[in-house]
Amino acid sequence: MPTNFTVVPVKDNGKKAKQGAEEDDVDDNNVLKEEEEDATGDGVPKENSPFINNTDNDKGNSYDGTNMALFEEEMDSNPMVSSLLNKLANYTNLTQGAQEHEEADDDEGPKKKAVKSPQMGTFMGVYLPCLQNILGVILFLRLTWIVGTAGILESLAIVCLCCSCTMLTAISMSAIATNGVVPAGGSYYMISRSLGPEFGGAVGLCFYLGTTFAGSMYILGTIEILLTYIVPKAAIFVAEKKEDEVEALLNNMRVYGTCCLALMSIVVFVGVKYVNKLALVFLACVILSILSIYAGVIKTIFEPPDFPVCMLGNRTLQNHNFDSCLKTEVIDNLTVTTKLWQLFCKGPELNATCNDYFDNNNLTLMQGIPGLKSRVISDNMWSEYGPIGMKVESNKLDSDPVGDTSQDIYMPYVVNDIATFFTLLVGIYFPSVTGIMAGSNRSGDLRDAQKSIPIGTILAIATTSFIYVTCVVLFGACIEGVLLRDKFGDSVKGNLVIGTLSWPSPWVIVIGSFFSCCGAGLQSLTGAPRLLQAIARDGIVPFLQVFGHGKANGEPTWALLLTAGICEIGILIASLDAVAPILSMFFLMCYLFVNLACALQTLLRTPNWRPRFKYYHWALSFLGMSLCLSLMFICSWYYAIVAMVIASCIYKYIEYRGAEKEWGDGIRGLSLNAARFALIRLEEAPPHTKNWRPQVLVLLNVDSDQGVKHPRLLSLTTQLKAGKGLTIVGNVLEGTYLTKDAEAKKAEQNIKSAMSAERTKGFCHVVVSSNLRDGFSHLIQSAGLGGMKHNTVLMAWPGTWRQSNDPQSWKNFIETVRETTAAHHALLVAKNVDSFPTNQDRLGEGTIDVWWVVHDGGMLMLLPFLLRQHKVWRKCKMRIFTVAQMDDNSIQMKKDLQMFLYHLRLDAEVEVVEMHDNDISAFTYEKTLVMEQRSQMLKQMQLSRTEREREIQSITDESRSSIRRKNQDATQSTDLSRQSSQMEDTQEDEAQLIHDRNTASHAAINDKADTGPERVHMTWTKDKLFTERNRNREMNANVAVRDLFNMKPEWESLNQSNVRRMHTAVKMNEMVVNKSQGAHLVLLNMPGPPKNRGGDENYMEFLEVLLEGLNRVLLVRGGGREVITIYS
């Protein structure tokens, strides 16, 4: 749909006399430009601009006027349309030199020389280069043999199959090439920008290997023409026996091929300009050779060339060592034997013993090229496949076979040098249709690349397809089948078979094909290093960085050395028929991904997909892709597998170690569409219990420098998830987004770095909120998308909540617990998270203890199983403890729990712990009293910070003196828990002592005594705590009873609900410490917060008592749904 633009001139009434000032402004703004310049450093064009050679030099062009003053502050980032169009009109795409566009712009700057505008059109820029690359060695050296072996019908099938593949690929390539500018890199650039760096790097390297092996094939073709048809006597290795001829030929190919490769590499190294100058000469050789073939075919109608083939019976003979196809001849009335006689007999005598087949069959001269009128086409219609060593025989002649064929290998018969079958011929022929990307690789030299590439490429493929089809038919209609199957022309005195058909002389084809192969080899050695250099400069494969450098003029020296080394591997193979299928694989893989890229872009309908070439369809691209894949396995299934493995390894390497690139590729678009489709499907129904897994939201805190406070939370997440499911790492910064923007980005970067270090796969989400409470609420409510939302929240226990002057630290924690409960999310709270193992640790023999008090969905059962999947916890055993009341049957409970675990397929030890209904101890009353008094004191302390610190200090001093006096009366104490650190003990002592102020007044009462069953310490200290736990209260009973009675009035005023909760916490703590103090990890049901927010601080005290003396603890609170099932 055409779009019309109207340009409206706007008069500027401002002062035009300020041009000098504007120039000064430009210089000043250039300083700002240097600070704002975005250096990508990845060796790729700045694709965020509408044109490739965009630079930031024009940012300094300040605007000084009145008409557009409303937009003047945005001129740096949003230039005027006139400026944009001016730069777009002046755009010039550099030629295919060594330097990339962005390097030329950045390095040369204002000193950049004007680049000559490219002037090449469709014919010279695309059509002829494609023609030269497509027509080559296979046409001259193997096509006649393919026609003779496969027959005309199957040869046409091979040609149509391969040409259809390249035509479909050309259509896809034309669509991609016309969807924007294609800079240096050609096909690699198209694939990588369409399919992403992973596919781009893998296919780019495969295309590089294909181009390199194509160089090997052309060099081998050059040497084959040289040694077989031009100067056969130049062979270094000469076979003494007929059976050694093949090995001698291969050795000659290796020696001469290596020398030819070295010579060509030197030519390319010295200067590519000489190669480019000779390109037209080589192209002229190709065109003249083809014209001579058609001229020779026309000549056969009137006067067929004389190339007789000597036949013994129906077997074809090598015509190297004899002149006449006779057994005997008459010279001066004497019958003498010929040279042919001596090849089959043991002597020149007429009575010499001869080969049985030679004796029983006659010699016949058959015309090798009978011409178009001979109707030989009907004989060449069908295939003649056979094993290695099979003799080339004619169906027209009679033969008298003999029983003994053991000596035939020493006879001068024309035989198959390799086993022949259809798929082999497809692999050998396919390189003759490659080269379709020669035009796109020269996109920088074209006047209008978006017009020339589709027309030139498709016309070149159509032309070459016509040439191949007509050649197949004409060869089959003009040349005898036995001569067609004679690969090296041994039956016509070593002449090139296609040369025997040409006019005016066979040497036209021989010389033309020789220079054609030389030129194609030089082109391969020129193009492959530049392709490798383009891949290396993109930086997607780290170990290839060295190949991005070269000489001062940009010539890829190191890439040329690597290319020559890989090319030598193909030359050492030495067989043209063996090398051809190898490069077929790599080219087919490249073409496959070109079709895939076009199909993906078409189906995804990305807004940027607007190719000027309109004659494409995703179905054609998929057909081309399927055809490429089929041809890969038709040619050689094991080569196909090897090529795919190589590409897969490169893909995974780039994915694992390669640089991060964002090229707007189709794979990313496909991922987005697949993710959208999956998210919509996931939201249709909640996940079944069998599919439930923890989708974790990790609430992470950062310090003042935005550094991660508890990185072990990420380690625990990795161990829990093992890379599966969803992980969102959230953080909240207090403030406004406008002022905290930079800090939020820094925090996000630090969190991502910590996630990478801890190998946590997931997403990072940093929220800036006016207060932490709302920020955490927003994260819990809105993190995730659709069906991929979190169902579990993981956070660290606020270990310093008692020492904090700000009560919001623990209030935020409790509110977060309430938020997760309201959202029906599971909650995991890790205490002493910094002591949890890292991903590099390996815990030895130990246990993961689960204290299953209440059932809230089975999270307690599932978490140890998930942890034990990770190598950190793999050696740990699982123990499950459950609590039995007085009226429970503990034996039956244990049996039922074991059966339940059996059905859950979980291996764990089971233990039922009995919890007796003991009277509430005086220790519990004491601890509850201290808790309530502390809470009351903090509510009343509405002092300034200085006064509060002074007050706290006096309370601390008074309480310490009180403790010192009471410790003199104590008779027994226990050591501190070995898991608690000395720093934590000190902090807890001081924190508790601060809140003993109100109990200090009761110290005098403690001197009174009365009778009682237990000894009770009325001031809360660690010594008295462990004395109470060990139940060692027998001694000094009179003092304990006196304290009990004196404090009884205080106990009666306590909240009995708090007393009961404290009693539960103390009793549970005693049992857990007694059973699980040495466990690697303790998982425990987390009690819910009180409904009345007035008791929030008491809730924190209950949890502290519950967790006292334990090192690694994971409090678990279910989300209100079953997460584990016994059903399959």
Side-chain angles (χ1 to χ4, degrees):
M1 181 176 179
T3 303
N4 298 324
F5 291 95
T6 302
V7 180
V8 180
V10 178
K11 295 183 179 179
D12 188 2
N13 296 324
K15 297 179 181 179
K16 297 183 178 179
K18 293 186 177 180
Q19 292 182 356
E22 289 179 7
E23 293 177 0
D24 294 336
D25 291 341
V26 171
D27 294 336
D28 295 337
N29 289 332
N30 280 338
V31 178
L32 299 176
K33 182 267 296 181
E34 290 175 0
E35 296 178 357
E36 298 174 359
E37 197 167 14
D38 183 16
T40 59
D42 58 357
V44 296
K46 300 180 179 68
E47 295 167 0
N48 57 347
S49 67
F51 33 82
I52 302 248
N53 62 343
N54 177 48
T55 63
D56 294 330
N57 294 330
D58 51 354
K59 285 187 179 180
N61 296 330
S62 61
Y63 176 78
D64 186 11
T66 58
N67 289 326
M68 296 295 171
L70 187 61
F71 302 96
E72 62 185 3
E73 293 184 357
E74 300 177 353
M75 287 295 178
D76 287 342
S77 58
N78 301 326
M80 292 184 63
V81 174
S82 59
S83 174
L84 173 71
L85 294 177
N86 180 53
K87 288 187 293 182
L88 192 59
N90 292 332
Y91 165 70
T92 56
N93 197 350
L94 298 181
T95 57
Q96 301 290 52
Q99 290 186 334
E100 300 286 336
H101 309 280
E102 64 278 9
E103 291 175 343
D105 288 339
D106 295 341
D107 295 343
E108 297 175 7
K111 298 180 181 180
K112 181 174 63 177
K113 297 179 181 179
V115 180
K116 186 178 179 181
S117 178
Q119 296 297 327
M120 297 185 71
T122 303
F123 185 75
M124 292 296 295
V126 181
Y127 181 76
L128 290 182
C130 286
L131 213 63
Q132 179 186 2
N133 279 267
I134 295 174
L135 300 172
V137 60
I138 300 296
L139 171 64
F140 300 124
L141 297 184
R142 292 291 182 270
L143 188 58
T144 54
W145 173 72
I146 291 173
V147 174
T149 305
I152 294 175
L153 292 180
E154 292 187 24
S155 297
L156 287 175
I158 293 173
V159 171
C160 292
L161 199 64
C162 296
C163 291
S164 300
C165 176
T166 54
M167 180 62 79
L168 292 172
T169 304
I171 293 173
S172 300
M173 184 193 69
S174 299
I176 298 173
T178 57
N179 188 51
V181 181
V182 180
S187 55
Y188 160 70
Y189 184 92
M190 289 190 297
I191 297 170
S192 60
R193 270 55 177 182
S194 297
L195 293 179
E198 293 86 5
F199 277 111
V203 180
L205 286 177
C206 285
F207 189 52
Y208 162 74
L209 291 174
T211 307
T212 304
F213 276 103
S216 301
M217 185 186 72
Y218 292 129
I219 292 174
L220 290 174
T222 303
I223 302 304
E224 182 177 315
I225 295 171
L226 179 69
L227 294 180
T228 308
Y229 307 114
I230 299 178
V231 279
K233 295 182 179 179
I236 299 174
F237 300 92
V238 179
E240 297 180 357
K241 300 179 180 178
K242 184 177 181 300
E243 58 269 24
D244 297 332
E245 288 179 354
V246 175
E247 189 63 31
L249 176 62
L250 295 180
N251 289 331
N252 286 318
M253 299 280 279
R254 293 184 180 106
V255 173
Y256 278 96
T258 303
C259 297
C260 183
L261 172 63
L263 184 62
M264 288 185 175
S265 300
I266 292 173
V267 171
V268 173
F269 177 78
V270 169
V272 182
K273 59 182 180 180
Y274 302 111
V275 178
N276 294 331
K277 287 180 179 179
L278 291 173
L280 284 178
V281 177
F282 298 141
L283 178 61
C285 292
V286 174
I287 295 175
L288 287 175
S289 300
I290 294 174
L291 291 177
S292 71
I293 293 172
Y294 285 108
V297 170
I298 296 172
K299 185 176 180 295
T300 61
I301 301 175
F302 313 104
E303 184 183 349
D306 183 23
F307 283 99
V309 177
C310 186
M311 308 291 295
L312 178 61
N314 64 348
R315 298 178 182 178
T316 310
L317 298 179
Q318 295 182 359
N319 192 4
H320 288 298
N321 300 319
F322 59 90
D323 298 322
S324 57
C325 185
L326 298 170
K327 293 183 180 180
T328 60
E329 58 184 347
V330 178
I331 300 177
D332 297 333
N333 296 325
L334 293 175
T335 302
V336 296
T337 59
T338 60
K339 292 182 180 180
L340 182 59
W341 177 282
Q342 298 176 21
L343 295 175
F344 284 90
C345 302
K346 293 183 179 180
E349 300 82 9
L350 290 172
N351 58 355
T353 304
C354 296
N355 181 269
D356 292 340
Y357 189 85
F358 182 76
D359 288 336
N360 298 339
N361 291 275
N362 297 323
L363 289 168
T364 308
L365 269 179
M366 178 184 290
Q367 192 56 249
I369 303 179
L372 279 176
K373 294 182 178 180
S374 63
R375 298 182 181 178
V376 73
I377 188 171
S378 59
D379 299 325
N380 294 331
M381 200 64 73
W382 311 108
S383 61
E384 291 285 346
Y385 300 118
I388 186 173
M390 187 187 81
K391 303 172 188 65
V392 176
E393 299 176 343
S394 173
N395 297 327
K396 297 179 180 179
L397 302 176
D398 296 329
S399 174
D400 185 8
V402 294
D404 185 16
T405 59
S406 59
Q407 299 299 314
D408 287 351
I409 60 174
Y410 305 107
M411 300 296 108
Y413 295 127
V414 177
V415 297
N416 287 350
D417 62 330
I418 57 173
T420 54
F421 41 90
F422 179 79
T423 57
L424 172 73
L425 299 185
V426 174
I428 293 175
Y429 172 76
F430 187 80
S432 66
V433 297
T434 59
I436 62 173
M437 294 186 175
S440 62
N441 290 340
R442 296 168 177 262
S443 58
D445 299 329
L446 302 175
R447 186 184 305 113
D448 186 357
Q450 297 191 4
K451 176 183 176 182
S452 298
I453 290 176
I455 296 175
T457 304
I458 293 175
L459 280 179
I461 295 175
T463 304
T464 54
S465 300
F466 173 78
I467 291 173
Y468 284 129
V469 170
T470 54
C471 283
V472 166
V473 176
L474 293 176
F475 291 165
C478 295
I479 305 175
E480 191 65 51
V482 291
L483 182 56
L484 286 173
R485 295 197 299 276
D486 185 2
K487 182 187 291 186
F488 301 108
D490 292 324
S491 60
V492 287
K493 295 187 179 295
N495 279 299
L496 182 62
V497 175
I498 196 173
T500 60
L501 183 62
S502 64
W503 181 87
S505 169
W507 286 102
V508 176
I509 289 289
V510 172
I511 301 300
S513 60
F514 177 79
F515 283 110
S516 171
C517 292
C518 282
L522 284 171
Q523 292 287 348
S524 297
L525 289 178
T526 303
R530 278 159 178 73
L531 179 59
L532 181 62
Q533 187 181 46
I535 298 172
R537 287 186 172 181
D538 264 348
I540 57 176
V541 185
F543 69 84
L544 292 180
Q545 295 287 344
V546 64
F547 299 107
H549 308 293
K551 294 193 296 186
N553 62 352
E555 293 296 326
T557 307
W558 294 107
L560 177 60
L561 290 176
L562 180 64
T563 303
I566 298 175
C567 198
E568 178 65 19
I569 296 175
I571 289 174
L572 292 178
I573 296 175
S575 173
L576 184 68
D577 302 322
V579 173
I582 297 177
L583 66 99
S584 296
M585 291 303 112
F586 292 123
F587 277 119
L588 279 167
M589 184 167 291
C590 179
Y591 296 164
L592 184 150
F593 281 101
V594 169
N595 286 293
L596 175 62
C598 180
L600 274 183
Q601 299 279 23
T602 307
L603 289 175
L604 293 177
R605 298 177 182 176
T606 52
N608 192 54
W609 180 246
R610 303 184 300 273
R612 290 189 178 276
F613 181 77
K614 301 299 182 183
Y615 305 101
Y616 69 94
H617 194 271
W618 64 266
L620 293 177
S621 299
F622 268 115
L623 179 61
M625 184 179 66
S626 305
L627 202 53
C628 289
L629 187 63
S630 302
L631 282 173
M632 287 179 68
F633 283 92
I634 287 173
C635 294
S636 175
W637 63 268
Y638 46 88
Y639 278 158
I641 292 175
V642 170
M644 288 181 174
V645 168
I646 292 174
S648 301
C649 292
I650 298 171
Y651 178 93
K652 297 304 292 183
Y653 176 81
I654 296 174
E655 185 181 49
Y656 180 67
R657 293 292 303 275
E660 292 291 334
K661 299 287 181 182
E662 175 50 56
W663 287 333
D665 51 87
I667 293 297
R668 185 172 179 83
L670 179 64
S671 301
L672 289 173
N673 276 271
R676 179 185 62 84
F677 177 77
L679 286 172
I680 293 173
R681 289 290 303 275
L682 281 174
E683 205 168 16
E684 292 178 358
H688 192 271
T689 301
K690 292 185 290 187
N691 295 326
W692 194 95
R693 65 168 64 247
Q695 317 282 11
V696 182
L697 169 63
V698 184
L699 299 181
L700 207 59
N701 292 324
V702 296
D703 54 25
S704 57
D705 294 329
Q706 281 72 50
V708 178
K709 276 189 177 180
H710 301 294
R712 297 291 175 86
L713 266 181
L714 299 176
S715 302
L716 178 61
T717 306
T718 303
Q719 295 157 20
L720 186 64
K721 303 287 294 178
K724 307 295 183 184
L726 175 69
T727 300
I728 304 174
V729 181
N731 173 250
V732 178
L733 296 180
E734 197 167 3
T736 62
Y737 186 73
L738 293 178
T739 59
K740 296 283 187 178
D741 180 28
E743 295 181 18
K745 291 180 179 178
K746 182 180 179 182
E748 184 174 0
Q749 189 60 41
N750 291 342
I751 292 174
K752 286 182 177 179
S753 300
M755 292 173 66
S756 177
E758 299 295 338
R759 297 181 181 178
T760 303
K761 297 181 180 179
F763 308 97
C764 177
H765 195 180
V766 177
V767 172
V768 181
S769 179
S770 57
N771 58 75
L772 297 179
R773 163 76 181 81
D774 290 343
F776 286 126
S777 177
H778 296 157
L779 274 177
I780 293 173
Q781 293 178 62
S782 61
L785 180 64
M788 285 296 286
K789 293 183 71 69
H790 60 278
N791 54 30
T792 305
V793 177
L794 172 62
M795 59 192 304
W797 171 259
T800 59
W801 70 274
R802 283 176 172 170
Q803 290 75 40
S804 176
N805 294 327
D806 185 10
Q808 284 300 120
S809 61
W810 53 267
K811 287 184 178 180
N812 288 338
F813 172 79
I814 297 176
E815 289 302 317
T816 304
V817 176
R818 288 194 175 101
E819 291 277 354
T820 56
T821 303
H824 301 289
H825 295 333
L827 176 64
L828 307 178
V829 179
K831 185 198 176 199
N832 296 333
V833 68
D834 292 330
S835 67
F836 275 61
T838 65
N839 292 325
Q840 287 73 37
D841 294 337
R842 299 293 181 271
L843 298 179
E845 298 290 337
T847 60
I848 299 176
D849 288 358
V850 177
W851 284 83
W852 192 19
V853 181
V854 294
H855 179 66
D856 54 359
M859 276 284 286
L860 282 170
M861 304 292 184
L862 187 61
L863 291 177
F865 170 77
L866 295 176
L867 284 174
R868 290 178 63 203
Q869 305 304 306
H870 198 275
K871 50 192 173 184
V872 173
W873 304 90
R874 191 163 293 158
K875 294 183 180 180
C876 297
K877 294 181 180 179
M878 180 177 169
R879 295 194 302 179
I880 295 182
F881 298 90
T882 189
V883 178
Q885 302 295 327
M886 286 295 295
D887 54 349
D888 293 329
N889 186 341
S890 58
I891 298 176
Q892 187 62 37
M893 280 182 64
K894 184 173 182 179
K895 291 181 180 179
D896 293 341
L897 182 54
Q898 288 174 337
M899 181 59 65
F900 182 58
L901 292 177
Y902 174 78
H903 287 302
L904 289 177
R905 291 90 64 200
L906 296 176
D907 296 326
E909 297 179 11
V910 176
E911 185 171 344
V912 178
V913 180
E914 296 181 352
M915 191 173 182
H916 300 290
D917 290 334
N918 293 340
D919 293 334
I920 299 176
S921 64
F923 170 76
T924 303
Y925 279 106
E926 169 79 5
K927 194 156 183 59
T928 307
L929 176 64
V930 171
M931 177 187 71
E932 292 191 353
Q933 288 175 343
R934 176 185 184 277
S935 178
Q936 186 65 25
M937 180 190 70
L938 289 180
K939 290 178 182 178
Q940 296 173 355
M941 289 180 64
Q942 303 296 332
L943 307 174
S944 66
R945 182 165 183 171
T946 305
E947 294 172 334
R948 185 180 301 177
E949 290 177 354
R950 188 182 304 114
E951 184 72 15
I952 290 175
Q953 185 63 40
S954 63
I955 294 172
T956 303
D957 295 341
E958 183 180 354
S959 299
R960 280 177 176 165
S961 61
S962 174
I963 294 299
R964 224 176 268 116
R965 289 194 304 272
K966 294 184 180 301
N967 284 340
Q968 294 174 358
D969 299 332
T971 59
Q972 184 177 1
S973 63
T974 59
D975 295 331
L976 296 179
S977 174
R978 59 188 177 89
Q979 278 77 14
S980 301
S981 63
Q982 186 175 358
M983 182 177 296
E984 288 180 350
D985 296 341
T986 304
Q987 292 174 348
E988 291 176 1
D989 282 343
E990 291 182 0
Q992 197 60 52
L993 290 170
I994 289 173
H995 308 302
D996 283 343
R997 176 191 182 194
N998 292 335
T999 61
S1001 60
H1002 303 287
I1005 306 177
N1006 293 337
D1007 294 331
K1008 300 179 182 180
D1010 201 349
T1011 59
E1014 296 178 339
R1015 173 185 174 222
V1016 179
H1017 297 284
M1018 306 320 299
T1019 301
W1020 164 234
T1021 66
K1022 284 187 171 55
D1023 292 340
K1024 296 178 178 55
L1025 166 64
F1026 288 102
T1027 302
E1028 176 69 13
R1029 283 185 181 170
N1030 294 326
R1031 300 177 179 274
N1032 191 3
R1033 313 183 196 111
E1034 302 285 337
M1035 304 175 64
N1036 297 330
N1038 292 334
V1039 177
V1041 171
R1042 185 175 68 245
D1043 291 339
L1044 178 64
F1045 276 90
N1046 288 334
M1047 287 300 297
K1048 188 94 176 189
E1050 297 288 339
W1051 294 349
E1052 289 178 347
S1053 64
L1054 295 177
N1055 187 324
Q1056 293 304 310
S1057 175
N1058 287 341
V1059 173
R1060 290 196 306 273
R1061 287 182 170 85
M1062 183 64 74
H1063 175 69
T1064 303
V1066 171
K1067 297 292 291 183
M1068 283 293 301
N1069 180 260
E1070 288 180 359
M1071 291 189 298
V1072 175
V1073 170
N1074 183 37
K1075 296 287 187 180
S1076 303
Q1077 199 169 29
H1080 286 316
L1081 179 64
V1082 177
L1083 282 82
L1084 187 64
N1085 283 117
M1086 182 179 183
K1091 296 181 179 179
N1092 180 14
R1093 283 178 166 77
D1096 283 356
E1097 187 182 5
N1098 298 338
Y1099 173 71
M1100 296 296 290
E1101 288 284 358
F1102 296 146
L1103 292 182
E1104 280 284 3
V1105 173
L1106 183 62
L1107 305 178
E1108 184 71 30
L1110 298 173
N1111 185 20
R1112 296 186 192 129
V1113 183
L1114 194 62
L1115 289 173
V1116 181
R1117 185 166 175 77
R1121 61 160 296 168
E1122 292 293 330
V1123 301
I1124 194 168
T1125 178
I1126 64 174
Y1127 298 104
S1128 61

